[in-house]
Amino acid sequence: MPEPVLAAVVPEVIRDNLPFLAAGFAMTLRLAAVGIVGGSLVGLLLGLLRHAEIPVLSRLAALYIEIVRGTPLLVVLFVCYFAIPALAGYRTTAVAAASLGFVLFIAAYLAEDVRSGLRSVPSGLVRAGLATGLTRWQAFRLIVLPQALRRIIPPVFSQYVRLLKFTSVASVIGVRELTGSALLVNAREFQPVAIIATAAVTYLVVCSGLSLVGRLLDARLSIRT
Amino acid sequence: MSGSPLIVLDRVCKQYGTTPVLRDCSLAVARGEIVVVCGPSGSGKSTLIKTVNGLEPYQSGSVRFDGEEVGARGTDLPRLRARIGMVFQSFELYPHMTALRNVMLAQVHALGRSRAEARERALALLARVGLTERAEAYPADLSGGQQQRVAIARALALDPVAMLFDEPTSALDPEMINEVLDVMTALARDGMTMVVVTHEMGFARKVADRVVFMDEGRIVEDRPAAEFFAAPATERAKTFLSKIIAH
Amino acid sequence: MSYQFDWSQVWQHRDLILDGLLVTIALSVAALVPTLIVGMLIGTLGASTSRAGRVAAGLYVETMRNVPLLIHMYVWYMALAFLRLPAFLCAVLGLTLYSSAYVAELVRAGIAAVPRGQARAAAASGLRPWQVQVLVVYPQALRIVAPSLASLASQLVKDSSLASVIAVAELSYQAGAIEGQTFRTFEVYITIAVLYIALVLLISFAIDHVPGLRARRPIARIADA
Ligand SMILES: Nc1ncnc2c1ncn2[C@@H]1O[C@H](COP(=O)(O)OP(=O)(O)OP(=O)(O)O)[C@@H](O)[C@H]1O
Ligand SMILES: [Mg+2]
């Protein structure tokens, strides 16, 4: 953007603190990326365990999912930052604790999506695969899993967007992501209207962008039946 | 070996809980033979043919395919199933793959063919069932008759020595039934061994060597097609036939 | 692990925990009522035949739910501090604007899922438009979305934990206070996690026992957001 336009749209307090706020924004993206990648892997694993109905493991996965889904994210972060390190006797950083918390938190929700996706694939298709000589594992890998993953793109992306928003909660345990940095800038400059509005608009743009990506991906990959 | 029947069922029994579904079913199908299985709904026809490729376990009796006991512990079921093609009432095409990839999948993963080889074979089979132009279409964009022809191509792609059909035309609109029956008739003329569950008596009359009539889990009649249609031996088959032909 | 458990300190502060629990419940109820009303109105607008109405409803939904709840709270508590609203009210406003977007989307989808023929048949039988809506469309739509609405309600209870950052003395806030005094980190956070889980279970238990709500499956997991 040319200089005069920038000056007209972006409040002075933001321009003055841009590097600091930009670093916060970068941390927000980093936390979201770690949460999305790690949470998807753990969520997939938990969802597979739930689906497979392995005697003890599936029950444990179900228990984990129920507990996390019943707990507010804030409390999950407190547990990861204060409670677990106190119990296990190790030191951690706010960023590491928040990353762990996001992964553990969002995985529980993604696991349920994975499971309902796996359940939505008709069993007749597996039978057809077996009839052509595929093994059970091949039928699962080639027929069930790809369909399940493509079917759950919309709910999975709404979880991703939710996680992106929820990274703001990391500010409570002292992480300097976008919200945390905004609060710090405000403490110094005391211009809450401009600062909070800027943070809000930034989240709005990034979250809308991510949900647009989800919609485009779904339009490309969804399975018509 | 080629003198003995390809498929032999010997006093096969199966029950769900305490409900018997198959009772002492015995049947032999020779190489190149076309056997049509018919009977009222719930009589066990689907269950019977699914025992042949091990999709349906049974409690007693024996099922042999090409000399191999299907229900035996050591049987390599995937290998056995790859030698038997099966076509389902509701097509069961993989909706996330094009017609071509549907026909390629098991060739690559069950038989270990190269992709190029599988593709070539798939295209040849799609041509044989008259669907060359639809190779890149997804199942959702194909009519029922076209989907069922793709499903037949998918089964044939493994070069099976026998084919099982479970009511392949009963989910189809009337005008599409013939396009599927024509493919099946051509297959029969080429000498394929076929067991076909169907209520298409015109097809049975024209193509079948034998007709098997089932009722309440029993094989009630098993006779040459001409004889069966001339005069069914049992009262049950007679009523059944008259009901089917009446409409 | 050399951590020495000591639950007695948590027990000693049970009055604070109970206070916090009551505030959490009060806040949840205070926010849930306007959330449902606003959500119903916006959702109805989103399902209306008026194009402008649908666009306006869509804008409301996208804007409100793509901004983190924490930012919603700071907007009322900090950016609009000159209004001098009590913190509790700020939390109610933040929760309402944020959650009503989800309710609206759910209601819109529910109305869309009622077969069109239903409204036509009702109109043909001489009912006025508002009667068609209230007597025929809403009851069916609400039954379709009831399970998702229920999980939105538990979501709101968990989300209310974020009011602690604007100094509303609800459960999470009290946990922080007790932890600060006793340093019984693990015991305190596990205790409040259990209380949240109990609240969420209580809600789903209650919903399961209201006749007519349980029968249908949710049309989508919109509620998990
Ligand atoms: N999973 C199952 N559990 C219990 N009973 C079953 C199950 N599957 C099939 N049956 C019963 O087994 C009997 C035979 O079923 P089968 O599908 O083989 O009949 P069919 O002759 O193919 O009937 P149709 O013409 O309707 O396809 C039926 O009475 C059916 O209700
Ligand atoms: Mg059947």
Side-chain angles (χ1 to χ4, degrees):
Chain A
M1 263 192 274
E3 208 53 32
V5 178
L6 201 68
V9 179
V10 180
E12 194 182 340
V13 60
I14 302 302
R15 271 177 290 145
D16 291 348
N17 292 282
L18 202 54
F20 187 73
L21 289 170
F25 181 56
M27 176 58 79
T28 289
L29 295 182
R30 202 181 117 190
L31 288 174
V34 169
I36 285 173
V37 173
S40 299
L41 292 176
V42 178
L44 184 61
L45 188 72
L46 287 170
L48 291 174
L49 278 179
R50 284 286 273 129
H51 182 72
E53 287 171 8
I54 305 165
V56 179
L57 282 178
S58 299
R59 279 298 187 82
L60 285 177
L63 187 67
Y64 173 86
I65 291 167
E66 283 311 311
I67 289 178
V68 173
R69 287 170 62 103
T71 311
L73 174 67
L74 185 65
V75 177
V76 172
L77 292 193
F78 283 156
V79 168
C80 289
Y81 190 45
F82 302 119
I84 297 179
L87 181 72
Y90 70 91
R91 287 176 166 280
T92 186
T93 63
V95 174
S99 304
L100 177 67
F102 291 141
V103 168
L104 295 180
F105 179 76
I106 212 69
Y109 291 85
L110 291 172
E112 283 298 274
D113 292 331
V114 168
R115 186 168 89 111
S116 67
L118 291 172
R119 279 214 305 215
S120 73
V121 179
S123 63
L125 293 177
V126 173
R127 219 171 301 127
L130 293 179
T132 58
L134 298 181
T135 61
R136 286 212 157 266
W137 167 242
Q138 284 176 323
F140 180 78
R141 183 168 56 88
L142 301 166
I143 298 169
V144 178
L145 194 58
Q147 289 187 60
L149 294 183
R150 289 161 72 155
R151 271 170 210 241
I152 60 174
I153 291 173
V156 163
F157 266 79
S158 81
Q159 291 302 336
Y160 289 169
V161 172
R162 179 163 171 250
L163 177 69
L164 183 52
K165 284 182 292 181
F166 267 176
T167 55
S168 59
V169 180
S171 64
V172 180
I173 58 169
V175 177
R176 281 191 209 166
E177 38 63 72
L178 182 57
T179 303
S181 331
L183 293 175
L184 285 172
V185 170
N186 186 53
R188 192 166 60 224
E189 309 269 1
F190 205 70
Q191 294 196 35
V193 177
I195 293 170
I196 302 289
T198 304
V201 170
T202 310
Y203 281 114
L204 182 61
V205 169
V206 189
C207 291
S208 306
L210 187 59
S211 63
L212 183 67
V213 170
R215 260 173 282 167
L216 292 176
L217 211 58
D218 185 48
R220 261 192 78 85
L221 293 179
S222 70
I223 299 161
R224 286 166 305 127
T225 43
Chain B
M1 196 70 211
S2 66
S4 62
L6 184 60
I7 301 169
V8 182
L9 276 68
D10 186 22
R11 283 165 296 154
V12 175
C13 296
K14 174 182 180 79
Q15 58 243 8
Y16 283 112
T18 54
T19 341
V21 181
L22 296 178
R23 314 188 207 196
D24 280 326
C25 291
S26 297
L27 177 70
V29 182
R31 277 165 211 276
E33 209 175 5
I34 316 294
V35 175
V36 160
V37 180
C38 61
S41 179
S43 56
K45 308 177 296 288
S46 302
T47 312
L48 183 82
I49 68 164
K50 281 190 280 188
T51 61
V52 174
N53 63 355
L55 281 180
E56 201 70 78
Y58 46 90
Q59 271 99 23
S60 68
S62 114
V63 177
R64 294 176 152 265
F65 182 83
D66 205 4
E68 196 172 359
E69 181 67 42
V70 175
R73 233 165 229 294
T75 306
D76 181 354
L77 276 179
R79 211 199 80 253
L80 181 109
R81 286 172 181 153
R83 301 178 61 214
I84 308 172
M86 180 152 192
V87 175
F88 301 85
Q89 177 172 353
S90 45
F91 328 135
E92 309 293 0
L93 291 185
Y94 314 131
H96 61 307
M97 296 180 180
T98 60
L100 180 66
R101 298 230 4 250
N102 262 278
V103 184
M104 286 171 62
L105 186 79
Q107 295 188 64
V108 173
H109 294 276
L111 295 188
R113 284 182 188 156
S114 73
R115 297 200 145 263
E117 196 184 346
R119 191 186 154 80
E120 196 178 322
R121 182 90 182 97
L123 287 171
L125 280 164
L126 287 173
R128 182 162 156 197
V129 298
L131 287 171
T132 304
E133 303 90 84
R134 308 298 282 145
E136 292 300 333
Y138 282 88
D141 297 324
L142 297 173
S143 72
Q146 291 174 328
Q147 288 191 53
Q148 195 59 300
R149 285 185 282 152
V150 173
I152 293 174
R154 175 174 73 181
L156 291 175
L158 304 168
D159 300 320
V161 292
M163 288 282 285
L164 309 172
F165 292 84
D166 190 1
E167 305 202 34
T169 57
S170 45
L172 295 177
D173 292 338
E175 72 269 25
M176 292 170 188
I177 290 179
N178 279 330
E179 64 188 59
V180 170
L181 290 180
D182 288 348
V183 169
M184 290 169 60
T185 306
L187 201 57
R189 297 269 141 83
D190 288 349
M192 177 64 77
T193 309
M194 290 164 56
V195 181
V196 185
V197 176
T198 187
H199 292 158
E200 291 296 329
M201 289 303 136
F203 171 83
R205 224 183 265 273
K206 194 166 68 167
V207 180
D209 297 308
R210 272 163 48 219
V211 175
V212 166
F213 178 77
M214 290 189 74
D215 190 30
E216 295 180 347
R218 284 209 175 77
I219 293 183
V220 182
E221 290 200 38
D222 176 359
R223 298 200 296 144
E227 263 180 49
F228 180 81
F229 286 114
T234 58
E235 213 42 55
R236 306 249 14 179
K238 227 173 268 175
T239 3
F240 176 76
L241 259 189
S242 66
K243 271 188 202 147
I244 284 210
I245 293 169
H247 67 246
Chain C
M1 284 217 212
S2 54
Y3 194 84
Q4 299 292 314
F5 289 99
D6 179 4
W7 296 89
S8 66
Q9 306 242 28
V10 176
W11 181 244
Q12 275 168 26
H13 290 91
R14 60 188 179 278
D15 49 338
L16 284 184
I17 293 180
L18 189 63
D19 280 353
L21 189 62
L22 291 177
V23 174
T24 288
I25 293 170
L27 178 57
S28 302
V29 173
L32 191 59
V33 173
T35 292
L36 291 176
I37 294 170
V38 175
M40 284 279 281
L41 291 176
I42 305 273
T44 307
L45 194 62
S48 69
T49 49
S50 142
R51 196 181 144 71
R54 288 200 309 268
V55 170
L59 269 176
Y60 178 88
V61 168
E62 290 308 311
T63 313
M64 291 305 160
R65 72 173 181 187
N66 278 328
V67 170
L69 174 59
L70 201 54
I71 298 287
H72 274 285
M73 301 221 172
Y74 285 134
V75 165
W76 295 99
Y77 189 68
M78 280 170 59
L80 304 177
F82 56 84
L83 296 176
R84 301 194 171 280
L85 300 175
F88 188 88
L89 185 56
C90 292
V92 168
L93 285 168
L95 277 167
T96 300
L97 289 177
Y98 180 77
S99 311
S100 62
Y102 287 98
V103 173
E105 185 51 21
L106 210 53
V107 169
R108 188 199 59 72
I111 293 176
V114 177
R116 286 209 169 274
Q118 291 286 315
R120 253 184 257 128
S125 70
L127 295 182
R128 299 180 186 290
W130 70 266
Q131 289 174 313
V132 171
Q133 203 69 18
V134 172
L135 298 176
V136 178
V137 177
Y138 277 163
Q140 297 188 52
L142 286 184
R143 195 167 301 188
I144 294 172
V145 302
S148 306
L149 271 180
S151 76
L152 262 179
S154 7
Q155 197 65 52
L156 192 146
V157 172
K158 289 181 278 169
D159 285 347
S160 72
S161 63
L162 291 184
S164 62
V165 303
I166 57 171
V168 174
E170 46 66 78
L171 197 49
S172 306
Y173 183 89
Q174 298 292 17
I178 300 169
E179 199 265 342
Q181 288 174 34
T182 64
F183 303 104
R184 303 318 307 173
T185 314
F186 186 83
E187 292 86 336
V188 170
Y189 288 119
I190 293 306
T191 304
I192 62 158
V194 167
L195 287 175
Y196 276 111
I197 293 171
L199 276 180
V200 167
L201 287 179
L202 203 66
I203 292 176
S204 47
F205 180 83
I207 296 296
D208 279 0
H209 288 79
V210 176
L213 283 186
R214 201 186 157 184
R216 315 265 177 117
R217 291 191 311 127
I219 44 167
R221 302 287 292 277
I222 307 172
D224 280 343

